[in-house]
Amino acid sequence: MYRVGVDLGGTNIAVGVINEKYEIIAKAGRKTNLPRPAAEIFSDICDCILEAVSKAGLDISDIASIGVGTPGSCDKENGVILYANNLGFDHVPAVDLIHERIPGVKVYIENDANSAALGEALAGTGNGKNSFIAITLGTGVGGGIVLDGKLLTGCNDAGGELGHITIKFDGKPCNCGRIGCWECYASATALVNQTKEKMLEDKDSVMWELCGGKIENAGGRTAFDAMRKGDKSGKEVVDRYIQYIAVGTADIINIFQPDMICFGGGICNEGETLLAPLREQVAKMRYSKGQVKQTEICRAKLGNDAGIIGAALVEY
């Protein structure tokens, strides 16, 4: 049995065909090229699906289902992407648009963070775990909850928005409309902002040298690289950032006590430099201090393939 997964992002469309071992056997892709009409984007998605199937040496009749992981909220029952602000989508009939070009194949839609979590749970670090949570530290903070191999999405398919738990009730305003969301403090975007703020406080920081004297060159690695050079301000940024991640992580553990939480996103390329102190911080904060068994905290391993594999495995 073969399935197709579509990872629809604001920059790229990535499509893959997976086999029964959850392996990607062929890929195709395009630039999303925003802004443009949804119908044009889904025409490209269909082109990519057919191209990937052909590259795999298959016919569309060999495909059991097509899954689309998309930013935003979905009405899965009716196959509609209700809203995705970064794509400019408002009530887009995604399933119908695919069926216009590729009839007769089951098509499913799912939030992209949930899709990636499902992929990582079934084919990545979470394989064999009964309860698994994936968190992506990127432009925002994405999350997905997988229990007994199934996504937990709530009564309205809007569950799992872990980036929008509040960690500071009088904190920074979030673009979701709330105040003090975890995303405002633990995302890669937040780390860059924290780095720039510290650079303005400390004009002698090594971070200025790393940025060529231009604050706009600060990125997610700047504070970590400065810390490795012995820079006090860089270390302060990193320590504080990890503490922000730990607060939200401990909250999630206290609610779910999952077997595993895995972290993905470019910042996780820091590996144990990020994860080792994170585990130490979480150990101090979690309610389950007296328990022998504790939630494992690790790094995701599928990278960009998680979204494709997870989308392909979506069914309901």
Side-chain angles (χ1 to χ4, degrees), residues 62-204:
D62 298 313
I63 303 302
S65 65
I66 297 167
V68 180
T70 174
S73 57
C74 302
D75 174 357
K76 294 191 287 192
E77 183 178 351
N78 294 301
V80 175
I81 300 171
L82 295 173
Y83 181 67
N85 63 305
N86 64 339
L87 296 176
F89 284 4
D90 185 359
H91 287 78
V92 171
V95 172
D96 288 346
L97 288 171
I98 292 176
H99 277 157
E100 286 177 8
R101 290 274 307 277
I102 308 173
V105 181
K106 290 180 180 178
V107 179
Y108 302 102
I109 59 173
E110 182 57 83
N111 171 267
D112 56 351
N114 284 339
S115 296
L118 185 64
E120 198 68 52
L122 299 182
T125 53
N127 183 256
K129 304 295 183 183
N130 289 324
S131 53
F132 174 83
I133 294 175
I135 296 166
T136 302
L137 306 176
T139 303
V141 173
I145 304 161
V146 182
L147 303 177
D148 297 323
K150 295 182 179 180
L151 284 166
L152 179 65
T153 57
C155 64
N156 53 8
D157 296 323
E161 290 291 346
L162 302 178
H164 298 286
I165 60 174
T166 299
I167 67 165
K168 199 173 189 323
F169 77 90
D170 57 351
K172 298 177 183 292
C174 181
N175 60 16
C176 77
R178 300 187 74 198
I179 300 294
C181 286
W182 194 27
E183 180 171 293
C184 297
Y185 298 89
S187 65
T189 303
L191 172 59
V192 173
N193 291 336
Q194 292 156 22
T195 299
K196 291 178 178 178
E197 289 169 5
K198 181 60 73 172
M199 288 172 67
L200 291 173
E201 289 178 17
D202 182 3
K203 294 300 179 75
D204 296 322

Side-chain angles (χ1 to χ4, degrees), residues 28 38 79 85 136 155 164-167 188 195 215 226-227 249 257 266 273 286 292 302 305:
N85 63 305
T136 302
C155 64
H164 298 286
I165 60 174
T166 299
I167 67 165
T195 299
I215 197 168
M227 177 184 68
T249 302
Q257 295 294 339
T273 303
R286 64 190 174 206
V292 174
L302 293 182
D305 287 345

